[in-house]
Amino acid sequence: MAKLVAVTACPTGIAHTVMAAEALRRTAALMGHGIAVETQGSNGVQTPLSAADIAAADAVILATDIAVDDSRFAGKPILRTSTAAAIRDTKSVIGNALGHAPGAQPETAASQPTPKPTPTAVRSPGLLVAITACPTGIAHTFMAAEALKQAAQAKGYRIKVETQGSVGAKNALTEEEIAEAEAVIIGADTHVATDRFAGKRLLKTSVGEALKQPARVIDEALALPAPTSTGGAATGSAAAPAYADAVSGAKARPKEVPSGPYKHLLTGVSFMLPLVVAGGLIIALSFVFGIEAFKEPGTLPAALMQIGGEAAFGLMVPVLAGYIAYSIADRPGLAPGFIGGMLAAKIGAGFLGGIVAGFLAGYIARWLRDTIRLPQNLEGLKPVLIIPLLGTLAVGLLMIYVIGTPVAAIMNGLTAFLQGMTGANAVALGALLGAMMALDMGGPVNKAAYTFAVGLLASSTYTPMAAVMAAGMTPPLGLALATMVVPSRFTMQEREAGKAAGVLGLAFITEGAIPFAAKDPLRVIPAAMAGSAVAGALSMWFGCGLRAPHGGVFVLAIPNAVSPLGPYVLAIVAGTIVTTLGLMILKRRIEADPTAAPTLGSAAPTPTSPAPSGAGR
């Protein structure tokens, strides 16, 4: 009789966790083996394994759909599988685990004894390191990190993922971990410095690819040629480590996704957002004392308007331009980018001028950096003197004499058009923005609508922002309501996930609907788009304005952050109901045992099964 230990865990830690544990206990007993099973989930660790259990075990089974710590099982044969496999094919799972256990006899006919398997050394799992980052650094950043962890675990690798989000870098990689790593994965939609990974296999991809196809991303990273001992450093997106071809020895660039204008724009937006949030809410606080109270010098409302309106909003466009340039040319682009953005703000070109200035500054600075050649002892002058001077002169003169005036005219015309929108035009714009928010739920189309609305805040145009936030809240709220109203259309796992989706929806985290959309896109996405279009259209029709670009219902509690408040809440409720009704019509009743349905966030996510959302936008 063999002795086994196992750990089961699924995202919610309820249905599949418990069912897998029970299946392993029952089947092991029927096969004549002893097993101790620990369950991990939202309610903590149940029936924890003791040190004695682990020491006596011939093999370890990790039937998990989320990452778990396996360091305590060092030196033990480990079989990694999913909770679904442990439930449906339990006997094979146990048999496979026993096949790696020295001294354990596989199940055979009594009359045909089999030889004892030869003990084999257990290979220490290799280490991968990764960085994930999205423009706001909330939802996709952490969802991609979780997906990479699960996929690496399924492949037998350890992984350390650094997340670069709105609160800075978390779980930061150490020099020792980078040195040990077999490959580096950068899953980011914003600029990430890569100079510390010199001499390593380095794969650059988008955060969306890391989320939706983490297994393929890991395979591509590991398939890169081994680096040479003299591989160069990768600096931003301009230089990359050199790699030796396995056969010819020729050097090649690492595989990466081209970092085009979209990625540079999102980098600028990600650094601008904190200023927009802080400035918008502080301006709203000044209105608590009266809409025109800030006009009285020396008063608290005047001070609040000075902080939010003059300082925070005054920095929005320069920061946008500066970090677009930084994404293109790294640090040499910062000075011309900030100065070009400040000029754009002064001449009234708004966020459109800031975008133009940022791209001009970035590409000019990069061209200067790559073109100018100086003696080695004078190279230090380029980033601190030559590039800032020449780049700023070029961008400044172009903005003042060539580009600034036409862009300012376009911006003024757009602002006047949007502020004067009423009736059918406003409803159509709101419906379009709403549908875009729900189409890919945090993807490029969603971010395009969001960026458009955020940029208009600098021009005191608040209605598109209100429509975008209302539309972004309704998909997860509608799904949460649907799981309660028509539970027969959803699996047990989906019903549990619906509770989390409701909380995410209240916080304006559209990505809470992604697990549902990934599993059933042809029914969920149309229903979500319909509800979001209704929410956006009603918000524009009511003339609702929002002064802060994030926060969901938590912003609604701040006086004058949203106005008018009642109709805005009505727009969100209407969009949620429409989404729910769409799901009731389109989703089919589940006839099979819901516990046998595939889980959300499996151990090896695929393009149609991304990891569950664990964080915000």
Side-chain angles (χ1 to χ4, degrees):
M1 181 183 75
K3 293 183 178 180
L4 302 169
V5 293
V7 177
T8 64
C10 70
T12 59
I14 304 175
H16 279 68
T17 299
V18 175
M19 292 169 63
E22 186 59 31
L24 288 170
R25 292 190 186 101
R26 183 175 61 251
T27 305
L30 292 174
M31 296 172 69
H33 303 300
I35 189 169
V37 186
E38 173 182 300
T39 60
Q40 296 184 12
S42 55
N43 57 347
V45 177
Q46 304 295 321
T47 61
L49 298 173
S50 66
D53 291 332
I54 297 172
D58 297 306
V60 179
I61 299 172
L62 298 182
T64 62
D65 299 331
I66 59 175
V68 298
D69 181 15
D70 61 1
S71 58
R72 53 183 165 157
F73 304 121
K76 295 287 183 180
I78 299 176
L79 176 75
R80 304 175 191 274
T81 187
S82 66
T83 56
I87 294 169
R88 301 171 189 167
D89 200 11
T90 319
K91 190 172 183 179
S92 295
V93 168
I94 294 175
N96 291 335
L98 292 175
H100 298 287
Q105 296 288 341
E107 186 179 26
T108 60
S111 59
Q112 298 180 357
T114 57
K116 180 186 296 186
T118 303
T120 57
V122 178
R123 174 185 177 276
S124 177
L127 176 67
L128 304 172
V129 296
I131 295 177
T132 60
C134 70
T136 51
I138 308 176
H140 277 74
T141 298
F142 296 98
M143 293 168 68
E146 184 63 24
L148 287 171
K149 290 176 184 176
Q150 294 178 15
Q153 176 185 328
K155 292 178 178 294
Y157 281 88
R158 295 176 292 132
I159 189 169
K160 174 76 173 289
V161 185
E162 175 181 310
T163 54
Q164 296 188 4
S166 54
V167 292
K170 295 294 184 182
N171 205 31
L173 302 173
T174 65
E175 293 182 4
E176 293 77 13
E177 289 165 340
I178 295 171
E180 183 187 349
E182 296 185 19
V184 180
I185 298 169
I186 307 293
D189 290 337
T190 62
H191 177 78
V192 173
T194 57
D195 51 321
R196 53 178 163 159
F197 303 119
K200 289 290 180 181
R201 292 186 178 99
L202 177 64
L203 177 76
K204 290 185 179 180
T205 188
S206 68
V207 69
E209 286 298 303
L211 167 62
K212 297 175 183 176
Q213 303 189 42
R216 191 182 75 180
V217 167
I218 291 173
D219 289 340
E220 290 179 355
L222 293 171
L224 291 172
T228 64
S229 59
T230 58
T235 305
S237 58
Y243 294 96
D245 185 270
V247 179
S248 64
K251 290 185 177 181
R253 293 178 62 85
K255 178 177 178 64
E256 62 178 273
V257 174
S259 54
Y262 177 73
K263 182 173 182 179
H264 304 319
L265 174 62
L266 292 186
T267 299
V269 171
S270 70
F271 282 95
M272 179 184 74
L273 274 179
L275 297 173
V276 182
V277 174
L281 292 178
I282 291 172
I283 291 172
L285 287 175
S286 74
F287 293 151
V288 172
F289 302 91
I291 296 298
E292 297 187 354
F294 68 91
K295 294 181 179 179
E296 186 67 31
T299 61
L300 178 59
L304 292 173
M305 181 59 70
Q306 185 177 2
I307 296 169
E310 296 178 22
F313 270 35
L315 285 170
M316 280 172 50
V317 174
V319 167
L320 172 67
Y323 281 99
I324 289 174
Y326 169 73
S327 178
I328 297 169
D330 217 292
R331 292 185 181 182
L334 281 174
F338 280 126
I339 294 169
M342 181 63 74
L343 288 171
K346 285 185 175 295
I347 63 180
F351 85 98
L352 289 180
I355 292 171
V356 173
F359 281 105
L360 271 177
Y363 287 119
I364 289 174
R366 191 166 76 179
W367 180 80
L368 291 171
R369 183 194 65 192
D370 297 341
T371 302
I372 296 175
R373 294 288 182 266
L374 295 175
Q376 187 64 36
N377 59 337
L378 297 178
E379 274 291 319
L381 292 176
K382 281 171 61 176
V384 297
L385 174 62
I386 297 174
I387 296 177
L389 173 62
L390 297 180
T392 300
L393 275 174
V395 173
L397 292 173
L398 284 171
M399 290 299 297
I400 291 172
Y401 289 111
V402 180
I403 298 171
T405 302
V407 174
I410 294 172
M411 188 66 204
N412 291 334
L414 176 63
T415 302
F417 172 72
L418 291 172
Q419 289 179 341
M421 261 192 169
T422 57
N425 290 335
V427 169
L429 177 62
L432 175 62
L433 291 173
M436 290 173 68
M437 289 298 292
L439 178 61
D440 53 3
M441 302 175 188
V445 177
N446 171 286
K447 287 187 173 71
Y450 183 72
T451 301
F452 171 75
V454 170
L456 290 171
L457 292 178
S459 304
S460 301
T461 305
Y462 305 117
T463 51
M465 189 69 251
V468 162
M469 190 168 86
M473 293 170 65
T474 56
L477 287 176
L479 280 158
L481 181 60
T483 59
M484 294 184 285
V485 175
V486 282
S488 60
R489 264 73 160 181
F490 300 91
T491 66
M492 182 185 299
Q493 199 77 6
E494 287 174 323
R495 294 197 292 273
E496 291 296 329
K499 299 174 184 177
V503 176
L504 296 174
L506 291 174
F508 180 34
I509 301 171
T510 315
E511 290 87 344
I514 285 180
F516 299 88
K519 185 176 179 182
D520 192 6
L522 296 180
R523 296 182 177 88
V524 172
I525 292 178
M529 289 180 66
S532 292
V534 168
L538 287 176
S539 176
M540 290 291 289
W541 187 39
F542 293 139
C544 300
L546 174 66
R547 297 179 179 274
H550 219 294
V553 296
F554 304 103
V555 173
L556 305 186
I558 299 175
N560 297 307
V562 181
S563 60
L565 180 58
Y568 189 64
V569 173
L570 178 61
I572 295 172
V573 171
T576 300
I577 293 173
V578 169
T579 298
T580 302
L581 291 174
L583 292 167
M584 292 171 64
I585 295 170
L586 296 176
K587 291 279 285 183
R588 297 176 180 174
R589 180 184 297 273
I590 295 176
E591 302 295 344
D593 179 5
T595 60
T599 61
L600 297 175
S602 60
T606 66
T608 58
S609 181
S613 174
R617 169 176 300 280

